[in-house]
Amino acid sequence: MNNEKFVFGVDLGGTAVKMGLFSRDGELVEKWSIPTDKRDKGEHILTDISKSLKNVMRSKGIDKEMILGIGIGVPGPVLDNGVVNSCVNLGWGVKNIEKELSEISGFKVKAGNDANVAALGELFHGSGIGYKNMVMITLGTGIGGGIILNRKIIYGSHGAGGEIGHAVININEKEPCSCGNYGCLEQYCSAGGLVRRAQRILSESDKDSVLRNVEVNAKSVLDAARDGDEVGLEVLHFFGARMGRFLADVAAVIDPQIFVVGGGVSKAGDIIIDTIRDYYKKFAFHACKDAEFKLAKLGNDAGIYGGARLILNK
Amino acid sequence: MNNEKFVFGVDLGGTAVKMGLFSRDGELVEKWSIPTDKRDKGEHILTDISKSLKNVMRSKGIDKEMILGIGIGVPGPVLDNGVVNSCVNLGWGVKNIEKELSEISGFKVKAGNDANVAALGELFHGSGIGYKNMVMITLGTGIGGGIILNRKIIYGSHGAGGEIGHAVININEKEPCSCGNYGCLEQYCSAGGLVRRAQRILSESDKDSVLRNVEVNAKSVLDAARDGDEVGLEVLHFFGARMGRFLADVAAVIDPQIFVVGGGVSKAGDIIIDTIRDYYKKFAFHACKDAEFKLAKLGNDAGIYGGARLILNK
């Protein structure tokens, strides 16, 4: 094992820290996770991560010299110098995570925002293989995004690169978004946005719908749409028109080759991709109409794969 | 003059070709222009450019070995491999302009879209000095844009990087944009968009306005706004809300440090910058609210400065 080299990919979430040991080719050797200890303003987290990585090294007979570094995604804005501006979920304020984790572990560290790092993982090991300019959209409770240009994460000047969930698409919205603004993409196209729209249609009309007899959530709404339910389809097209138009505008700015869609809502599958693509083609600038759309492949592993790539692709 | 090196910056337009001789530090030594000969599908253009550059070299006693290369902006989509997909204004179809101009001239050539190259010029020699992530917006008859990240042009996968004028901001628009789509930013926020809005207000209301007594153009509308004219102000805020919201969305994608606004409409000055900034701050994601806004400085020279930088910053 003497000439072998390894890298760690870490995905730091509010509940669990997912970790992976990767070969120098970026192939996963082993993955595991530990709970996120948020006590004392999250001050134990980096030490816990370091200990866990070293336990795995010990159990596998891996020496310090064989480790190229640690790439880590964190749930907050990260500047390209490794400074996290704040991770509300973890209790962190401003923190130079690269420096701190490097001092604790003794390894080189590169950090990024979790959604951005997951996008990098999809580019190198998932649906983005072979592409260099990609936009990833994660549709879940909220909407996350990651912009990859020339195979590198766009961190943004304030660590807000890829914060597409908080693009404002409706200046007349009266209900606030979780971010404090009004009319963010997330308010319409996240799982919660789909539910909000369905409930509004159900309460404001007497349209017949299976959704009157089941719990209204993103899955039941999209299942209903797939079955041709009138209300389900109305929500689907409401969603598709907004996502498609927004992504067409993204194309008019950075003109990517491919859009990769992940997150819980994307589990509905082709109906999501096909609907977004149809509206995208309607609204996109002519030169950009042939951009590709694919479902994400790596699921919850995207973050650790991307973490490894932060080190391997420096 | 033996150790001196020079570079040419060329801005190829539909009417004139602007050219500049620059020092290796990017400082302008001399500028001039020739008419654009669009006969025979524009096939004389590159030869004309090469001849003109060589005339200047001869008159200044500059040898071939002293030229580092030619950077050229062209009015159409350009891929980062130097292929122009089509320049309708010039009669060109698909053309590898870097290869062709290099063969004709004997110099290294690097090409880019004209708006993108102008943005590069503003970054290095105009209002973007000291920044690395910049969005340039050119408000004229149409709306052009250029995205600069890490001091490099974002060409886009189809040469459409920075085509912000054709971002769709209103899916209910009934009149077509010049690009064939409906509801593009350009239809509301270009010079023509301001006039269209003013004329609509004047015809659909009986509001008192100085604009009823003068020719309605972008300048008269913005002059009226500056003087407190009710219709002028209504158009200004219509414009500002749309530009400000759109740029806030751009920030949620790539999070630039600065927005630089140029083009004929920007000659109205601070009223334009202040209005866009006010609405931007209202709509921007919290981390991005402090992005800067400045008027462009280089005017029509931005293209030749940027052209020189295409070579100097390779």
Side-chain angles (χ1 to χ4, degrees), chain A residues 74-234:
Chain A
V74 303
V78 182
L79 301 179
D80 59 7
N81 63 6
V83 172
V84 177
N85 268 339
S86 81
C87 290
V88 181
N89 280 351
L90 307 177
W92 289 358
V94 176
K95 195 179 184 74
N96 189 330
I97 184 180
E98 291 183 6
K99 187 160 168 283
E100 287 190 32
L101 182 55
S102 183
E103 282 170 5
I104 293 169
S105 67
F107 297 125
K108 178 174 130 181
V109 176
K110 184 70 194 154
N113 165 269
D114 53 3
N116 292 350
V117 173
L120 195 66
E122 281 290 340
L123 185 87
F124 280 98
H125 295 275
S127 295
I129 290 177
Y131 298 90
K132 62 179 189 173
N133 299 325
M134 180 186 107
V135 171
M136 179 150 172
I137 306 106
T138 306
L139 303 173
T141 312
I143 294 183
I147 313 294
I148 310 286
L149 297 178
N150 287 319
R151 298 196 177 87
K152 287 188 189 307
I153 290 173
I154 300 301
Y155 279 76
S157 307
H158 312 85
E163 279 289 355
I164 59 170
H166 301 291
V168 172
I169 64 162
N170 174 14
I171 64 176
N172 300 314
E173 178 63 52
K174 300 287 179 261
E175 292 179 26
C177 177
S178 62
C179 75
N181 265 2
Y182 294 80
C184 294
L185 183 67
E186 185 165 299
Q187 290 182 276
Y188 310 94
C189 297
S190 65
L194 297 180
V195 169
R196 189 170 78 124
R197 187 68 189 174
Q199 285 172 334
R200 188 164 295 176
I201 298 170
L202 292 171
S203 72
E204 290 177 0
S205 76
D206 54 4
K207 287 173 182 164
D208 195 27
S209 171
V210 296
L211 294 168
R212 296 194 186 276
N213 309 318
V214 297
E215 187 195 341
V216 178
N217 54 40
K219 184 175 186 310
S220 64
V221 170
L222 293 170
D223 283 347
R226 197 184 291 100
D227 292 340
D229 182 89
E230 187 184 354
V231 175
L233 283 169
E234 194 174 329

Side-chain angles (χ1 to χ4, degrees), chain B residues 122 127-128 134-137 258-262 294-297:
Chain B
E122 281 289 338
S127 295
M134 181 185 106
V135 171
M136 179 149 172
I137 306 106
I258 184 168
F259 294 92
V260 173
V261 183
K294 290 188 184 174
L295 289 166
K297 271 187 186 161

